[in-house]
Amino acid sequence: MQQRRPGFPARLPGTAAPAPARPAPAAPAGGRSQAPSPSGVGLDSAAVRARMVQKLAAGGITSTAVLQAMGAVQRHQFVDSALVNQAYEDTSLPIGLGQTISKPNVVARMCELLLGAEIARSGGLGRVLEVGTGCGYQAAVLSHLAREVYTLERLRGLHDKARSNLRPFRLANVHLLFGDGMLGYAKGAPYAAIIAAAGGDAVPQAWCEQLAVGGRLVAPMAVSGGQQMLLVIDKTPHGLKQNVLEPVHFVPLKSGVA
Ligand code: SAH
């Protein structure tokens, strides 16, 4: 049965600690406990999220759609209860099995790049493929920006975690898939955009094939010297056009499933 996470702390860090929640009757596997009284919880979480959005805007994110999506998705619902206090800081956080949820800044940046796809300029983003579902946070953000989100995860444990994290949000346009994202997901192709949350040494052929003409791929990729950089590939009627942007730090893209 789906258990609710503890609510967002009723006070901001640096202020007096909130009264401890009632002890949970029996903590389920995964360390979740019952939600404390909901009074005031949503409000404070919204305020902290609004502050995160202000920082994103100050840091150069200009897309209103992206800022709204970042403001709408409750990042604290995607991290372990012990990390809830850090959920709206611009930091990556562990999500289990050696993987991490990306910094809000990086998620927003990559989403903004996706919206810059030629195909998105008239009528927005259609189908998007995400490689690396992780805890499901970025898929939830994408669900506000694209008509359909197909997201692939190669680790069964995280695929299941994302499913239970996302269930309460009832996002009908997010399709969680278990499989090797290096192969893409041909059944959903062609995609207006492909976004990878894990970095490899080369762009898998399948991704380029499954991208629509006018579509855009945004992915971390190792360049010469091993440095990981954010890569943007646009599929034009005349072929692929590649741009290498800033350095980034993502977990490795691995083949196969586990
Ligand atoms: N977008 C995620 C970030 C997760 S970290 C979030 O919001 O939480 C990157 C994820 O990519 C990890 O969960 C890792 O297991 C996954 N990954 C790595 N290689 C993959 C592959 N070939 N196919 C699918 N997922 C992969």
Side-chain angles (χ1 to χ4, degrees), residues 232-254:
V232 172
I233 295 180
D234 287 308
K235 189 162 180 176
T236 78
H238 318 291
L240 300 174
K241 207 180 92 204
Q242 176 177 307
N243 275 304
V244 179
L245 308 178
E246 66 269 17
V248 283
H249 300 281
F250 280 83
V251 295
L253 181 71
K254 294 187 176 170

Side-chain angles (χ1 to χ4, degrees), residues 95-220:
I95 53 172
L97 301 178
Q99 308 303 315
T100 54
I101 178 175
S102 309
K103 290 177 182 196
N105 201 9
V106 171
V107 172
R109 166 88 169 127
M110 291 173 84
C111 288
E112 190 161 73
L113 286 166
L114 291 192
L115 289 175
E118 179 66 39
I119 210 170
R121 289 192 203 140
S122 54
L125 277 177
R127 282 193 302 278
V128 171
L129 176 68
E130 179 192 37
V131 176
T133 312
C135 66
Y137 171 72
Q138 183 168 263
V141 174
L142 288 168
S143 77
H144 291 259
L145 301 170
R147 273 195 291 286
E148 300 294 332
V149 179
Y150 293 82
T151 178
L152 276 157
E153 174 56 55
R154 65 177 288 277
L155 297 177
R156 174 66 74 179
L158 285 176
H159 169 75
D160 292 343
K161 189 179 217 175
R163 185 173 298 288
S164 76
N165 284 345
L166 287 165
R167 191 174 290 125
F169 298 104
R170 298 176 183 276
L171 303 171
N173 65 340
V174 175
H175 310 283
L176 291 167
L177 307 160
F178 174 62
D180 180 358
M182 289 177 82
L183 308 173
Y185 182 67
K187 284 187 193 156
Y191 297 100
I194 299 179
I195 179 168
D201 296 326
V203 177
Q205 183 72 25
W207 296 0
C208 297
E209 285 168 9
Q210 292 174 19
L211 202 57
V213 173
R216 176 173 273 192
L217 165 72
V218 178

